[in-house]
Amino acid sequence: MARKKIREYDSKRLLKQYIMSLAGLKLPLQAAQVDQTTDFQQLLDKEPWLNTTKLVVKPDMLFGKRGKNDLLALNVDYAQAETFITERMNKQVSVDGCSGGVSTFIVEPFVPHDVEYYLCIQSQRLGDAISFSDAGGIEIEENWDRVKTVTIPTAGEADGDALAPLLGSLPLELRPAIERFIQAAFMVFRELDFSLMEMNPFTLDKEGLPFPLDMRGELDDTAAFKSGKKWGELMFPQPFGRTMSQAEQTVHEADEKTGASLKLTILNPKGRVWTMVAGGGASVIYTDTVGDLGYAQELGNYAEYSGAPSTAETYTFAKTLLRCCTANPDGRKRALLVGGGIANFTSVAATFTGIVRAMKELADEIKAANVKVFVRRGGPQWQAGLDLMRKLGQETGIEVDVHGPSESMTCICKLAIDYVRSDD
């Protein structure tokens, strides 16, 4: 499971649409999204309710503490909302040490209320945890002792008996409505492959209908093959303060087009230890090992390829990564770890063919940047794959140190760091 955060606008859009189709519960949710391309008159023509009620305006950028940063407007009309957004669009803010520009807002009806509830549903290893409190809102952490949690087994149902421990503190007349709402939200959670659905707070409107005031959602993006059409036009935004480099964008686009997995995150463009690792688990182990050996600050990237990518896909991935690894040579030694465990079904020869092709094309850059390549791999056709790497060194003059499955998976980490350290 890969948990990906989505915008509050999309969380509420999906909840409203599918809680009606799955449970017949009509929520009075209305929301409009505003970004840098929004024409306010066209938005009003599309969403005329914006001019008929008082509004709440806040950034929809995957961060909290909006009130503390003068980024929350309450009980304003549409003209005031437009002014508020215009004055803050692209404003640079710092939240919990992350800085970035505010570029997306959500606009909703202002709902006067006296009582705030907390609801959180999240996936766990053996089921789904549902947490509820009658003391939600900004002081939820101070009142955490009032949060009650039940776990619904993977094949279980959130029926009345299962939810009863959550609702004992509620007045009897409110329990049926809130129980039905939790059950319906849970149906949406499972049907759409949410991994997290949190409402803090939700309240009851003047008609007694549940109304999520603030909502946070995460989806299991590996379920896109079966739920992508239900999600509709949905993007997984970058965490606040994080923008993709051109190289990261290239790999991200390739990843979206393949059934395999291709990942690249640049950590330190001037780093001297770079990784090109097969397997999600192995990539984390290699990264941790470099850190354990005291060279985390020199780690240039996090990267992994898995799921049997084609030779062409591996070539594109490798060439993009190599351009980052060899950028701005400074005469100091650099190391590239081409590692992995023992593959189950991925052909080592096929993936290494793509990697070797990219290295041959960039051989001059690799040598100019003083990069030595350390290889360790096992699995189907591993001998042929390692032979390709050895021939690469012989034919191009690139320094290549090759190891097979008889060596421990992370043996090349220490060798690489010793190589880089010799230049310190």
Side-chain angles (χ1 to χ4, degrees), residues 13 17 40 118-119 176 187 228 295 318 378 396 414 419:
R13 171 180 63 83
Q17 178 181 351
F40 283 92
Y118 172 81
L119 175 64
M187 292 173 67
Y295 266 64
T396 64
K414 186 176 185 307
Y419 172 75

Side-chain angles (χ1 to χ4, degrees), residues 181-244:
F181 176 59
I182 295 175
Q183 290 173 330
F186 186 68
M187 292 173 67
V188 176
F189 176 89
R190 282 192 166 173
E191 179 67 22
L192 270 66
D193 291 289
F194 273 82
S195 53
L196 174 75
M197 180 187 289
E198 183 182 60
M199 302 172 210
N200 184 38
F202 79 89
T203 191
L204 301 178
D205 70 4
K206 60 183 179 180
E207 305 298 330
L209 294 172
F211 193 101
L213 298 171
D214 278 314
M215 185 171 176
R216 194 160 64 96
E218 297 178 5
L219 296 174
D220 175 7
D221 76 336
T222 62
F225 73 96
K226 70 185 186 72
S227 292
K229 289 183 179 179
K230 301 173 190 174
W231 297 341
E233 295 183 8
L234 180 145
M235 294 180 61
F236 294 107
Q238 289 291 302
F240 176 67
R242 174 94 165 83
T243 56
M244 283 190 182

Side-chain angles (χ1 to χ4, degrees), residues 108-147:
E108 305 170 280
F110 176 71
V111 179
H113 59 280
D114 297 318
V115 180
E116 295 182 333
Y117 304 101
Y118 172 81
L119 175 64
C120 179
I121 310 172
Q122 57 182 324
S123 298
Q124 295 184 334
R125 186 175 183 85
L126 299 177
D128 300 306
I130 304 177
S131 300
F132 174 81
S133 174
D134 60 0
I138 60 174
E139 296 183 355
I140 183 64
E141 293 182 0
E142 289 79 358
N143 293 305
W144 199 253
D145 59 323
R146 295 175 64 175
V147 176

Side-chain angles (χ1 to χ4, degrees), residues 323-344:
R323 283 176 173 154
C324 298
C325 173
T326 59
N328 304 313
D330 57 6
R332 304 174 74 194
K333 293 179 178 179
R334 304 180 188 183
L336 173 62
L337 300 168
V338 181
I342 299 176
N344 292 321

